[in-house]
């Protein structure tokens, strides 16, 4: 008579455990790109000229409810970025005289840019390490848009929420 199957008991000799996932597979870098973010956000970019006054720039920031402006030269090429932080630092350096200053005297000229194919995780790391919150998107020398650290974090949170729902469905279903 054949022996029937009996599930292992605690007292049985334990075999090596196998794992279907490792820490590495559980925390893989997501492959979402800047292009995917821009598809939903849009490619609107607000810009000023280096010759504009800070007063003009400040009004633009206020009216558009944004934290930074692209600075384009006369040919339309990216030549800098002007952030709220740049303005505040100039305000501290020249109290009462700030609004008359030219954008070119205050803007950040060493601008970190990213491309549409760059992953959001990479952009987030660069922004965090560089301590800035706005990054122009450039492709083939042409300005394609601007992403903010808030855009990237928001996009990633939505992705994580969807992943959580999918995982729950797999576990339950």
């Amino acid at each position: 008579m054949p022996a029937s199957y009996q599930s292992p008991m605690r007292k049985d000799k334990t075999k090596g455990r196998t794992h279907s996932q490792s820490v590495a597979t559980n925390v893989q870098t997501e492959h979402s790109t800047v292009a995917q973010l821009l598809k939903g956000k849009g490619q609107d970019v607000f810009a000023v000229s280096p010759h504009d006054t800070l007063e003009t720039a400040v009004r633009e920031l206020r009216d558009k409810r944004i934290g930074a402006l692209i600075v384009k030269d006369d040919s339309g090429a990216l030549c800098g970025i002007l952030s709220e932080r740049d303005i505040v630092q100039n305000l501290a350096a020249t109290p009462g005289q700030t609004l008359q200053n030219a954008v070119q005297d205050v803007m950040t000229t060493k601008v970190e840019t990213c491309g549409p194919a760059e992953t959001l995780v990479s952009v987030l790391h660069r922004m965090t390490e560089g301590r800035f919150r706005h990054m122009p998107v450039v492709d083939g020398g042409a300005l394609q848009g601007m992403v903010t650290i808030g855009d990237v974090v928001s996009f990633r949170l939505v992705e994580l929420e969807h992943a959580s729902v999918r995982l729950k469905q797999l576990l339950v279903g």
Side-chain angles (χ1 to χ4, degrees):
M1 181 183 235
S4 62
Y5 171 78
Q6 185 176 1
S7 60
M9 305 288 281
R10 283 184 193 229
K11 295 178 192 174
D12 293 342
K13 187 176 180 180
T14 58
K15 296 179 181 179
R17 299 180 84 182
T18 61
H19 299 279
S20 61
Q21 291 184 309
S22 66
V23 172
T25 61
N26 285 334
V27 292
Q28 286 180 354
T29 302
E30 292 293 325
H31 298 291
S32 299
T33 63
V34 171
Q36 291 170 308
L37 187 150
L38 285 179
K39 186 188 289 185
K41 175 188 176 181
Q43 296 179 321
D44 292 340
V45 176
F46 302 106
V48 291
S49 160
H51 308 296
D52 286 339
T53 64
L54 286 182
E55 182 176 5
T56 301
V58 166
R59 285 192 177 136
E60 186 77 3
L61 290 169
R62 179 198 63 200
D63 293 347
K64 303 296 186 198
R65 299 179 53 106
I66 55 176
L69 292 163
I70 295 293
V71 183
K72 291 183 180 181
D73 64 16
D74 294 335
S75 68
L78 173 70
C79 65
I81 189 167
L82 179 70
S83 70
E84 295 165 322
R85 183 178 295 161
D86 295 325
I87 296 167
V88 168
Q89 287 174 347
N90 190 256
L91 182 64
T94 59
Q97 303 167 16
T98 303
L99 294 179
Q100 294 78 29
N101 290 337
V103 167
Q104 65 190 355
D105 298 331
V106 180
M107 69 184 188
T108 299
T109 55
K110 186 178 177 187
V111 182
E112 289 271 342
T113 64
C114 62
E118 190 167 344
T119 64
L120 294 180
V121 170
S122 170
V123 169
L124 193 56
H125 282 295
R126 289 175 54 202
M127 288 178 155
T128 302
E129 289 171 9
R131 297 179 54 89
F132 55 90
R133 299 176 310 209
H134 303 85
M135 186 180 282
V137 182
V138 177
D139 189 23
L143 189 61
Q144 300 294 312
M146 177 136 65
V147 294
T148 68
I149 200 162
D151 296 334
V152 176
V153 169
S154 178
F155 192 91
R156 291 285 295 131
L157 284 175
V158 169
E159 277 187 329
L160 291 172
E161 288 172 6
H162 287 297
S164 174
V165 168
R166 286 192 304 267
L167 183 59
K168 287 177 185 174
Q169 289 171 344
L170 287 172
L171 293 174
V172 173

